[in-house]
Amino acid sequence: MEADLTLHVNGQPHALRVDPATPLLYVLRNQLALNGPKFGCGLQQCGACMVVLNGNLAWPSCQLPVAEVLHMTITTLEGLTRPDGSLHPLQQAFIDEQVPQCGYCLNGMVMSAAALLQQDPKPNEEEIRNSLYRVLCRCSVHSRAIKAIKRASEMS
């Protein structure tokens, strides 16, 4: 049964009429037209749908009911871009290190790293590797992603 709900996404409240059991990913993509989070496995195992909750928790959104995030702030890949249109240091570092390949895991890598840097602005390599454990990548870009995250941490 649908209900009137408000989600706080990328710094803005969004009034929606949606079934509270709807996965957050579907609302983000289909109702808010935010395409940073991707549908990957649909089982919270690949990380393609990762969002950041309350500024420092990276969490997959493909099975997360919107009812569970009503009182949280939600940040998507689009929300990392600054109001003046400039890129977040992570986004710029991923470009500078030429991380993107097929790009499907990229959302998960960037959002996991954003949550990590919010918790620990100067993580070591082991902490960076641990932050990416929920993101599957078949293109083998992990080493470049780790370099990009280190670069971003040095810029902040």
Side-chain angles (χ1 to χ4, degrees):
M1 176 186 294
E2 291 188 346
D4 294 320
L5 307 173
T6 300
L7 290 180
H8 298 275
V9 181
N10 297 336
Q12 299 290 321
H14 296 274
L16 304 163
R17 183 149 187 82
V18 62
D19 183 334
T22 304
L24 176 60
L25 176 65
Y26 297 1
V27 173
L28 294 173
R29 291 185 60 87
N30 300 336
Q31 293 187 264
L32 300 180
L34 297 169
N35 296 318
K38 308 283 186 253
F39 185 89
C41 66
L43 302 170
Q44 295 188 345
Q45 294 179 353
C46 72
C49 62
M50 201 71 72
V51 296
V52 174
L53 301 175
N54 289 338
N56 62 9
L57 174 64
W59 199 259
S61 62
C62 64
Q63 289 192 346
L64 181 62
V66 292
E68 292 187 22
V69 295
L70 293 177
H71 302 291
M72 296 181 174
T73 60
I74 302 158
T75 305
T76 69
L77 187 63
E78 294 88 345
L80 292 182
T81 303
R82 298 195 167 130
D84 68 358
S86 64
L87 297 178
H88 184 280
L90 267 170
Q91 294 169 311
Q92 187 60 55
F94 270 64
I95 292 169
D96 293 344
E97 294 294 337
Q98 300 180 10
V99 177
Q101 197 143 335
C102 85
Y104 218 79
C105 68
L106 208 54
N107 174 73
M109 287 191 177
V110 172
M111 299 313 290
S112 295
L116 171 65
L117 294 181
Q118 190 64 35
Q119 294 171 18
D120 180 1
K122 302 291 181 196
N124 62 36
E125 187 167 324
E126 182 179 349
E127 292 165 329
I128 293 170
R129 289 179 185 275
N130 288 339
S131 75
L132 299 176
Y133 85 98
R134 296 181 88 169
V135 181
L136 298 178
C137 172
R138 290 187 165 77
C139 300
S140 303
V141 300
H142 278 87
S143 60
R144 294 195 309 253
I146 291 167
K147 284 178 67 178
I149 296 166
K150 283 181 185 175
R151 178 187 277 227
S153 73
E154 292 164 1
M155 294 171 24
S156 55

